[in-house]
């Protein structure tokens, strides 16, 4: 059950000297292969899980022991290398290490069937990425580690530990259905960000190193010590970027109370969250866990205050599903466009996606008029940040309850239960007025919920401003003339941004992270006990409409 192997302790950049270690928990086989308590390690032979059925993807356990029963391979001297058994050995060591950490430190039952595939590169072409996906082949779960042009993702344990956390999240707690999802309230992105943030955090804490992927990800390595802003202004819709709010929170808590307590606090909080949870739910769980630690004498008031500061510094405690609007000031948040979603799905054009998919604003907003008000105007301004093109969007308002969405496989998700609407807007400005002449008429006793639904191509910054008045509102007849200027998207670094790839997506450009315009007050959370039922138009279902280009789930 034990053998020796040569590995990189962390990766080939930060720990470049290969060390000889024990490979623990191997399963006795004849002949012996790298199969153990945590799963089996294979080399990729042929096939592409993005397109092919599992039975058409060929893998093989190539690494074999020497006459002493050991796996003492040397790393490849050049990349890409598609026949590299050192990669199998290196990954088995870190597979068992991470599996043992979850079992022994967090008490997680990991009796699941996992295979890990190294040297992955369809048609012997380099693949600069890695992903976890449920599997229907000889194993039930799979992690594919790309053989990059210059770096082997199997050589960087940060990448593998990150992917292994996705595997654990998927099998043990099921936080997310993917990077983008929908439910009865519209777009759901925070669970995907939690997936990425916790994967970054646990990768970092197990390796005792805050940088995630300094070897394989290069300039896209993520640093849980950096300043990433606050929610909602730092929430963009790209799960890796949004996940930095969770990853940096975790590292700040670890710094405040130590790795052992922080790891358990963060894991136990995430394990208790229902599907479609929000950052506000995370904050609520962390606060409750910190209070319990203080009651048990494990931390003092000063350390508890630092834990809470890790939440408030990132605005997580004020980031639920429904955001309060402040009259005259309004609130700004980012809104994904179909160009962006098309990139996540592998390069589909906006005009094609419009046939099958509509999007909503990241949040629903709520506003309570003054008691003496006689009307309310909701003004919306859209500013293109990436991309451009024509617009088609609408504003939907519901009295005292959220706007509810419906739809199906052949019917894009859209608002179905609401009281007021203004749709078919093709300019960058729009407004919806509710007064005595509206049906139903304005009544200040109601709290009004607002959401934007659209098929816009551009990634935009949306500002919603409510104006309530005790005087009649005059409708502004002025509209913008002409098409808005198109802003070309920035060039990426050639790293795929697929729906199923969960690691190396490029970060949101720096120009998006300026939240100086973001204003807003305290938020109320209504999702902690909300039903977690899923509408049938999840992107996993949408992908079935493009059966020729299936993508593994991350």
């Amino acid at each position: 059950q034990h053998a020796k192997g040569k590995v990189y302790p962390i990766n080939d950049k930060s720990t470049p000297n290969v060390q000889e270690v024990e490979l623990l928990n191997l399963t006795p086989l004849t002949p012996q292969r790298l199969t153990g308590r945590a799963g089996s390690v294979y080399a990729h032979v042929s096939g592409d899980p993005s397109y092919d059925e599992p039975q058409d993807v060929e893998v093989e356990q190539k690494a074999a022991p020497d006459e002493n029963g050991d796996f003492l391979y040397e790393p490849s001297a050049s990349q890409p290398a598609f026949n590299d058994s050192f990669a199998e050995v290196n990954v088995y060591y870190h597979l068992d290490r991470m599996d043992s950490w979850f079992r022994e430190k967090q008490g997680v039952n990991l009796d699941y069937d996992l295979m890990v595939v190294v040297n992955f590169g369809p048609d012997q072409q380099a693949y600069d990425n890695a992903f976890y996906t449920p599997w229907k082949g000889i194993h039930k779960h799979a992690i594919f580690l790309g053989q990059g042009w210059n770096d082997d993702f199997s050589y960087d344990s940060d990448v593998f530990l990150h992917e292994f956390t996705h595997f654990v999240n998927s099998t043990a707690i099921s936080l997310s259905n993917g990077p983008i999802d929908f439910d009865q309230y519209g777009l759901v992105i925070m669970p995907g960000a939690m997936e990425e943030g916790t994967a970054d955090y646990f990768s970092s804490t197990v390796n005792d190193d805050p940088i995630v992927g300094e070897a394989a990800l290069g300039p896209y390595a993520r640093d849980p010590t950096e300043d990433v802003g606050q929610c909602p202004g730092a929430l963009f819709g790209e799960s890796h970027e949004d996940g930095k709010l969770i990853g940096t929170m975790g590292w700040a808590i670890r710094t405040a109370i130590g790795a052992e307590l922080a790891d358990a606090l963060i894991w136990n909080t995430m394990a208790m969250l229902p599907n479609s949870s929000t950052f506000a739910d995370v904050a609520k769980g962390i606060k409750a866990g910190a209070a319990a630690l203080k009651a048990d004498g494990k931390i003092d008031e000063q350390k508890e205050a630092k834990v809470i500061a890790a939440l408030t510094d990132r605005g997580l405690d004020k980031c639920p599903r429904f955001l309060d609007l402040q009259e005259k000031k309004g609130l700004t948040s980012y809104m994904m466009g179909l160009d962006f979603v098309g990139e996540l799905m592998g390069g589909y054009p906006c005009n094609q996606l419009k046939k099958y998919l509509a999007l909503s604003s990241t949040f629903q907003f709520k506003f309570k008029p003054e008691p003496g008000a006689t009307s309310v105007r909701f003004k919306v301004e859209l500013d293109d940040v990436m991309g451009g093109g024509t617009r088609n969007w609408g504003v939907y308002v519901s009295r005292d309850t959220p706007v509810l969405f419906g739809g199906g496989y052949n019917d894009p998700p859209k608002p179905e239960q609401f009281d007021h609407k203004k749709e078919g807007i093709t300019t960058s400005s729009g407004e919806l007025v509710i007064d005595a002449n509206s049906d139903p008429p304005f009544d200040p006793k109601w709290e009004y919920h607002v959401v934007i639904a659209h098929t816009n191509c551009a990634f935009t910054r949306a500002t919603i401003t409510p104006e309530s008045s005790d005087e009649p509102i005059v409708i502004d007849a002025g509209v913008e003339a002409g098409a808005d200027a198109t802003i070309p998207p920035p060039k990426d670094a050639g790293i795929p941004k697929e729906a199923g790839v969960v690691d190396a997506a490029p970060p949101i450009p720096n120009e998006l992270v300026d939240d100086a315009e973001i204003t807003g007050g305290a938020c109320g959370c209504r999702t902690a006990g909300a039903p977690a039922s899923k509408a049938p138009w999840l992107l996993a279902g949408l992908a079935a409409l493009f059966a020729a280009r299936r993508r593994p789930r991350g």
Side-chain angles (χ1 to χ4, degrees):
Q1 289 188 313
H2 296 178
K4 293 179 181 178
K6 290 184 177 181
V7 304
Y8 288 116
I10 302 296
N11 58 54
D12 55 334
K13 297 296 190 296
S14 61
T15 55
N17 296 321
V18 173
Q19 293 185 7
E20 191 173 294
V21 298
E22 266 199 295
L23 305 177
L24 305 178
N25 299 308
L26 286 162
T27 300
L29 297 171
T30 304
Q32 181 66 59
R33 289 295 184 263
L34 293 174
T35 291
R37 179 177 67 175
S40 301
V41 182
Y42 296 83
H44 178 252
V45 177
S46 65
D48 184 350
S50 298
Y51 302 91
D52 299 327
E53 296 296 337
Q55 62 268 22
D56 297 323
V57 176
E58 185 180 357
V59 297
E60 180 184 350
Q61 290 186 300
K62 294 182 178 180
D66 59 22
E67 62 274 12
N68 297 317
D70 297 321
F71 296 80
L72 300 175
Y73 293 91
E74 296 291 338
S76 174
S78 62
Q79 303 294 343
F82 294 100
N83 189 16
D84 175 15
S85 290
F86 173 86
E88 290 180 67
V89 181
N90 193 67
V91 165
Y92 179 86
Y93 169 72
H94 294 293
L95 167 69
D96 181 74
R97 185 166 69 97
M98 193 61 165
D99 175 83
S100 296
W101 184 87
F102 269 109
R103 289 176 188 268
E104 297 164 9
K105 298 291 187 180
Q106 308 309 324
V108 181
N109 178 8
L110 290 175
D111 292 331
Y112 301 101
D113 191 15
L114 173 67
M115 76 169 183
V116 186
V117 180
V118 305
N119 303 147
F120 176 62
D123 299 321
Q124 298 290 288
Q125 295 297 309
Y127 185 84
D128 282 302
N129 226 316
F131 57 87
Y132 158 77
T133 180
W135 199 243
K136 294 183 179 179
I138 57 175
H139 300 278
K140 294 181 180 178
H141 305 272
I143 292 173
F144 285 80
L145 300 172
Q147 173 56 67
W149 286 107
N150 299 307
D151 297 285
D152 190 335
F153 281 63
S154 302
Y155 285 12
D156 191 340
S157 71
D158 288 346
V159 171
F160 176 72
L161 271 55
H162 178 108
E163 294 305 331
F164 192 89
T165 304
H166 281 305
F167 158 66
V168 174
N169 283 344
S170 177
T171 55
I173 58 180
S174 299
L175 273 178
S176 169
N177 287 295
I180 301 175
D181 199 359
F182 281 90
D183 69 3
Q184 68 269 36
Y185 302 132
L187 189 65
V188 179
I189 63 171
M190 283 187 265
M194 294 176 206
E195 282 267 5
E196 294 300 336
T198 54
D200 278 355
Y201 172 74
F202 288 122
S203 171
S204 296
T205 193
V206 171
N207 277 342
D208 194 26
D209 176 11
I211 307 300
V212 180
E214 62 266 35
L217 303 186
Y220 301 112
R222 295 185 285 276
D223 182 357
T225 67
E226 68 179 338
D227 181 4
V228 294
Q230 288 189 330
C231 188
L235 200 64
F236 306 111
E238 201 287 310
S239 56
H240 301 84
E241 188 70 18
D242 296 344
K244 291 179 179 180
L245 288 163
I246 298 297
T248 60
M249 172 209 74
W251 199 261
I253 293 173
R254 186 185 195 267
T255 301
I257 66 175
E260 184 174 356
L261 291 178
D263 295 347
L265 174 59
I266 294 167
W267 172 255
N268 290 336
T269 296
M270 295 299 173
M272 293 294 290
L273 293 176
N275 216 283
S276 291
S277 294
T278 68
F279 287 171
D281 298 327
V282 174
K284 184 177 180 180
I286 293 290
K287 285 181 179 179
L293 289 175
K294 187 180 72 171
D296 291 341
K298 295 180 179 179
I299 63 174
D300 57 22
E301 289 186 3
Q302 185 178 15
K303 289 184 176 181
E304 182 188 30
K306 289 182 179 179
V307 171
I308 294 174
L311 307 171
T312 58
D313 288 349
R314 292 157 183 80
L316 301 178
D317 56 330
K318 293 181 172 60
C319 199
R321 195 69 180 278
F322 308 100
L323 294 181
D324 278 335
L325 293 170
Q326 289 183 317
E327 189 171 10
K328 303 300 183 183
K329 295 183 180 179
L331 193 146
T332 298
S333 67
Y334 292 100
M335 196 163 70
M336 284 189 295
L338 289 175
D339 278 339
F340 185 79
V341 174
E343 284 297 310
L344 288 176
M345 297 184 66
Y348 292 105
C350 173
N351 288 337
Q352 184 177 3
L353 284 181
K354 284 182 179 181
K355 302 175 184 178
Y356 306 104
L357 182 64
L359 299 175
S360 73
S361 49
T362 302
F363 301 94
Q364 289 203 27
F365 306 89
K366 57 184 182 177
F367 176 68
K368 185 72 168 66
E370 294 294 327
T374 59
S375 61
V376 64
R377 182 204 306 260
F378 293 104
K379 299 177 67 174
V380 180
E381 295 284 342
L382 302 184
D383 297 313
D384 290 351
V385 177
M386 285 195 297
T390 60
R391 297 183 174 89
N392 186 3
W393 58 284
V395 182
Y396 301 83
V397 177
S398 180
R399 301 184 307 172
D400 219 35
T401 60
V403 176
L404 297 182
F405 282 68
Y409 282 113
N410 297 312
D411 188 14
K414 60 185 178 182
E416 282 194 346
Q417 295 185 35
F418 52 87
D419 294 299
H420 306 276
K421 68 177 181 179
K422 179 68 176 292
E423 53 189 8
I425 304 172
T426 58
T427 59
S428 62
S429 301
E431 62 181 42
L432 189 154
V433 173
I434 306 170
D435 58 17
N437 298 317
S438 302
D439 182 19
F442 174 82
D443 190 329
K445 72 180 181 182
W446 298 114
E447 181 177 64
Y448 289 89
H449 289 251
V450 187
V451 70
I452 300 169
H454 71 93
T455 56
N456 300 336
C457 295
F459 189 109
T460 60
R461 182 186 291 111
T463 302
I464 301 181
T465 306
E467 296 178 355
S468 63
S469 175
D470 57 4
E471 298 179 359
I473 287 182
V474 178
I475 303 299
D476 182 4
V479 296
E480 284 192 5
D484 294 312
T486 298
I487 303 174
K491 294 182 179 180
D492 62 33
I495 298 177
K497 299 181 284 294
E498 303 168 2
V501 175
V502 295
D503 297 304
I508 296 293
N510 289 335
E511 60 264 28
L512 297 194
V513 301
D514 179 11
D515 61 354
E517 300 179 33
I518 306 301
T519 59
C523 307
C525 176
R526 296 185 57 184
T527 60
S533 60
K534 294 294 175 187
W537 55 76
L538 311 181
L539 285 189
L542 178 65
L545 296 172
F546 304 101
R549 289 180 63 102
R550 285 185 298 274
R551 297 287 167 187
R553 188 191 137 197

